[in-house]
Amino acid sequence: MKTIIYTLILLSLNTHAVCTQEFQRAFFDTNSKRLSSVVDDLALKGVGKKIVVKGPFKLSGEIKINTAKNAYLPILTSVILSDKPVHLYDLPKISDVNKLKIILSELGVTITEKGNVTTFDSSTLKTNMAVCDMVTKMRASILFLGPLIARYGAGKVALPGGCPIGARPIDLHLEGLKALGVNFEEGDDFVQGIGKFNSLVGSDISLYFPSVGATENIMSAAILAKGETIIRNAAKEPEIDDLMDFLNAMGAKISWIGDGVMKIEGVSELKEVHYRAIGDRIEAGTYVLMGLMSRSHVKISGFNPEHLGDALNVLKMMGANMKVGPDYIEVFPSQLRPVDVTTLPHPGFPTDMQAQLMALLTTVEGQSKITETLFENRFMHAEYFNKLGADITVEGNKATINGKENFVPNKVVATDLRAAAALIMMASRIEGVTEIHDVKHLFRGYSDILEKLEEQGVDIKMINE
Ligand code: UD1
């Protein structure tokens, strides 16, 4: 009975409720002109491909960092909050962004591109159900839940996929939205919610863990709720500040009122917005570590080094020879020391740099240790580093790395996005050709990485499996 009521409410709010194959086909046909500018090979880049990279190699000159994936993903899911145009500058050329553009198009958003500006017009939004195939292909699509419910009073999202790095539950997302007055129905492969009286009501919410995604979902839902919302133990990642800046530029009223305590005053209307996200700290950190690993002199620019938090302190502790500027880090060849690192929420050492740090540590004389506390299944790359000659043992969430000088070329598999980049780092110290299979993950988060490395003179090619 409850299911029937939910379905009726969702259907009544939704002119394109049924996302069947026919619906998708018809939608794509009638919108083919609009979609053709949106759907391109980028969403599928790297599928069925491998990378061959010849080492050893070094980096030099300057590498410019793109805008941040993890800043733009929640911004993109939030564009549907408003029926006014949203102009986003310099979207990174990565498959995760293009997948979200496809989902937005399927939801009815009109997307246009002019130079480096992409405009999203959600006045044409047609459905409150994000349930098509593409939704299940990426974890970030759960971030549609808050905005859909905020805009329509109800919404449905198919359950997401993403990198295979653990269970990644969504209980905190649902608890936070429930506190705003949403009732949820959960199926095996979907979650749907409806706000009491089709509206959200501000609340005082305490997260038992500072989840990035849950904080973002609650923030973007609460901006249109009636009254004030407090989020305690909110995530403090730089991308949270960036989402706050974006939503405030849209007319929201969000501020920090204490350490990890965020206040959101509900507003009833949003306005047209122009926005450019921050530089990608993880992309930058990856090239900084690649520079150190390949004993290069290279400048990584276009991001705020403070966003690296403890990662910068870890590198200093290791003896990294770096010049840190306001928007760049210049890396010099360094004699590095081993280190003992634990991944933690920001400003702690980011889990998204754990694989790259492990790659670097395989080359640092002495014994290093890494403890992974964010994701339980995020050491899958260690097996492949060992295939390349590294000496790593993993026990539970702890890895012990004994530094070495010599490595061997081999065929390896990219187990997730950051592991893919870390394997390219490994190749920088290997005499011969390293073959990296299943590289589709790489293009989820590294804009133009092959082009950037080719410009550096690296012999790297993507070919069919
Ligand atoms: C975001 C980042 C991802 C990064 C991660 C941690 C994006 C798009 N992705 O992912 O790159 O690795 O932060 O910095 O920004 N958890 C729960 N219940 C929940 C939600 C999360 O238990 O409802 C747990 C997760 O299982 C995990 C931990 O909290 O162990 C961190 O997850 P979370 O901060 O939510 O990461 P994401 O937002 O998924």
Side-chain angles (χ1 to χ4, degrees), residues 70 139 168-173 209 211-213 352 374-375:
N70 285 355
R139 163 135 184 119
R168 306 187 83 166
I170 55 166
D171 55 313
L172 285 162
H173 299 240
F209 179 86
S211 155
V212 174
D352 286 351
L374 272 297
F375 295 111

Side-chain angles (χ1 to χ4, degrees), residues 39-286:
V39 181
D40 58 31
D41 290 348
L42 193 47
L44 294 173
K45 193 164 179 181
V47 174
K49 308 271 184 185
K50 64 182 173 188
I51 280 178
V52 286
V53 52
K54 195 162 172 231
F57 65 79
K58 281 188 191 292
L59 307 178
S60 61
E62 185 169 358
I63 296 179
K64 292 204 169 87
I65 295 309
N66 290 83
T67 48
K69 162 177 110 62
N70 285 355
Y72 261 137
L73 297 190
I75 289 175
L76 282 166
T77 54
S78 295
V79 302
I80 58 170
L81 282 162
S82 164
D83 58 2
K84 311 277 182 354
V86 174
H87 311 278
L88 299 180
Y89 289 64
D90 300 319
L91 283 174
K93 289 188 250 159
I94 53 175
S95 54
D96 269 10
V97 160
N98 274 43
K99 285 178 194 160
L100 282 188
K101 282 180 175 176
I102 291 170
I103 297 168
L104 285 164
S105 249
E106 290 185 358
L107 290 171
V109 178
T110 306
I111 305 173
T112 49
E113 273 164 33
K114 204 172 176 193
N116 65 335
V117 186
T118 310
T119 298
F120 298 83
D121 176 359
S122 301
S123 63
T124 50
L125 195 70
K126 288 170 178 151
T127 173
N128 59 352
M129 299 171 96
V131 291
C132 297
D133 248 16
M134 192 58 84
V135 174
T136 60
K137 290 197 164 56
M138 56 184 313
R139 163 135 184 119
S141 38
I142 192 64
L143 299 177
F144 278 115
L145 196 59
L148 280 174
I149 298 172
R151 171 97 182 250
Y152 278 116
K156 178 173 179 174
V157 177
L159 289 175
C163 276
I165 51 171
R168 306 187 83 166
I170 55 166
D171 55 313
L172 285 162
H173 299 240
L174 302 188
E175 286 308 314
L177 295 173
K178 275 181 198 165
L180 299 177
V182 183
N183 286 314
F184 281 105
E185 167 107 349
E186 289 174 67
D188 283 345
D189 55 359
F190 72 90
V191 59
Q192 59 188 25
I194 177 160
K196 281 180 202 150
F197 315 111
N198 281 347
S199 163
L200 301 180
V201 186
S203 182
D204 194 324
I205 299 163
S206 269
L207 301 179
Y208 67 78
F209 179 86
S211 155
V212 174
T215 303
E216 292 166 344
N217 234 336
I218 300 164
M219 282 166 81
S220 49
I223 62 167
L224 293 176
K226 287 196 184 101
E228 187 179 286
T229 296
I230 304 288
I231 309 177
R232 299 177 196 279
N233 199 23
K236 294 188 285 192
E237 270 67 6
E239 294 78 17
I240 297 287
D241 284 306
D242 210 40
L243 178 63
M244 186 186 284
D245 289 346
F246 167 74
L247 294 172
N248 283 342
M250 232 182 170
K253 286 189 182 163
I254 317 175
S255 55
W256 290 110
I257 55 167
D259 186 23
V261 186
M262 188 185 286
K263 182 169 90 171
I264 302 157
E265 294 167 71
V267 297
S268 51
E269 232 186 298
L270 298 171
K271 56 187 184 207
E272 184 169 356
V273 57
H274 292 257
Y275 200 77
R276 184 186 194 275
I278 50 173
D280 195 316
R281 66 190 166 110
I282 306 297
E283 185 195 10
T286 302

Side-chain angles (χ1 to χ4, degrees), residues 248-325:
N248 283 342
M250 232 182 170
K253 286 189 182 163
I254 317 175
S255 55
W256 290 110
I257 55 167
D259 186 23
V261 186
M262 188 185 286
K263 182 169 90 171
I264 302 157
E265 294 167 71
V267 297
S268 51
E269 232 186 298
L270 298 171
K271 56 187 184 207
E272 184 169 356
V273 57
H274 292 257
Y275 200 77
R276 184 186 194 275
I278 50 173
D280 195 316
R281 66 190 166 110
I282 306 297
E283 185 195 10
T286 302
Y287 287 115
V288 166
L289 295 190
M290 196 182 287
L292 288 168
M293 181 151 177
S294 53
R295 298 187 178 141
S296 306
H297 174 198
V298 61
K299 183 175 177 180
I300 315 300
S301 65
F303 75 108
N304 181 350
E306 281 178 15
H307 290 169
L308 287 175
D310 276 353
L312 206 50
N313 299 329
V314 165
L315 294 180
K316 285 178 187 162
M317 265 163 47
M318 288 173 69
N321 188 2
M322 303 177 295
K323 183 175 169 205
V324 180

Side-chain angles (χ1 to χ4, degrees), residues 303-439:
F303 75 108
N304 181 350
E306 281 178 15
H307 290 169
L308 287 175
D310 276 353
L312 206 50
N313 299 329
V314 165
L315 294 180
K316 285 178 187 162
M317 265 163 47
M318 288 173 69
N321 188 2
M322 303 177 295
K323 183 175 169 205
V324 180
D327 63 350
Y328 69 86
I329 292 181
E330 197 171 345
V331 171
F332 302 90
S334 311
Q335 192 64 42
L336 299 174
R337 296 185 284 273
V339 76
D340 190 339
V341 171
T342 299
T343 62
L344 287 169
H346 192 78
F349 190 92
T351 178
D352 286 351
M353 278 175 65
Q354 180 259 106
Q356 303 91 307
L357 178 71
M358 189 186 282
L360 174 62
L361 293 175
T362 63
T363 64
V364 175
E365 196 186 336
Q367 189 170 83
S368 295
K369 288 183 191 292
I370 298 181
T371 306
E372 171 61 58
T373 69
L374 272 297
F375 295 111
E376 73 274 17
N377 200 15
R378 209 172 193 180
F379 280 147
M380 290 180 295
H381 40 270
E383 174 191 344
Y384 294 102
F385 293 176
N386 283 345
K387 276 187 89 176
L388 297 171
D391 177 358
I392 305 168
T393 46
V394 172
E395 270 178 68
N397 70 338
K398 291 183 196 307
T400 305
I401 304 117
N402 292 306
K404 289 183 67 180
E405 273 289 317
N406 297 314
F407 298 87
V408 288
N410 210 333
K411 293 178 182 179
V412 289
V413 176
T415 48
D416 72 27
L417 161 61
R418 305 305 167 186
L423 286 166
I424 296 178
M425 288 175 60
M426 292 293 294
S428 75
R429 291 288 291 266
I430 297 172
E431 186 81 47
V433 174
T434 301
E435 260 189 39
I436 307 171
H437 293 260
D438 206 6
V439 290

